[in-house]
Amino acid sequence: MGKAIRGQPLDFSDLRKRAALIALTGKRMQASAPPDIAEHFKTVLDAIATSARGLKQGGSTRKVVDPLYGDRNRAAFDAVNKYECR
């Protein structure tokens, strides 16, 4: 989002690919997570998908940023960030 804020061009295709790779990794991790953490993974994966849908020319920065950094999903992101895979 830094590029967007500075008015630099964005490669939306590359950003969507990155989001897909992050989602794939998260789904694999979710499968081995304890049930309480797995629910947080679902919230995080939904937020990533929502954000990725906003990655388009003329799209709203808020639609990309809010799902990832907004207060609504903060607890889930914090739980997933603290989770250590075994």
Side-chain angles (χ1 to χ4, degrees), residues 20-54:
L21 287 173
I22 292 168
L24 179 61
T25 301
K27 286 179 186 176
R28 290 177 179 160
M29 292 172 68
Q30 179 185 20
S32 64
D36 58 328
I37 298 296
E39 279 301 310
H40 289 300
F41 268 101
K42 181 183 181 323
T43 300
V44 168
L45 292 170
D46 287 348
I48 292 168
T50 300
S51 178
R53 284 192 297 273

Side-chain angles (χ1 to χ4, degrees), residues 8-75:
Q8 297 174 342
L10 301 175
D11 182 344
F12 294 106
S13 177
D14 181 59
L15 292 170
R16 283 189 295 272
K17 286 178 190 174
R18 289 179 189 214
L21 287 173
I22 292 168
L24 179 61
T25 301
K27 286 179 186 176
R28 290 177 179 160
M29 292 172 68
Q30 179 185 20
S32 64
D36 58 328
I37 298 296
E39 279 301 310
H40 289 300
F41 268 101
K42 181 183 181 323
T43 300
V44 168
L45 292 170
D46 287 348
I48 292 168
T50 300
S51 178
R53 284 192 297 273
L55 292 168
K56 57 188 170 192
Q57 189 67 35
S60 163
T61 302
R62 183 168 301 284
K63 287 185 179 181
V64 174
V65 173
D66 279 357
L68 303 177
Y69 299 104
D71 291 337
R72 182 172 158 219
N73 297 323
R74 179 57 30 219

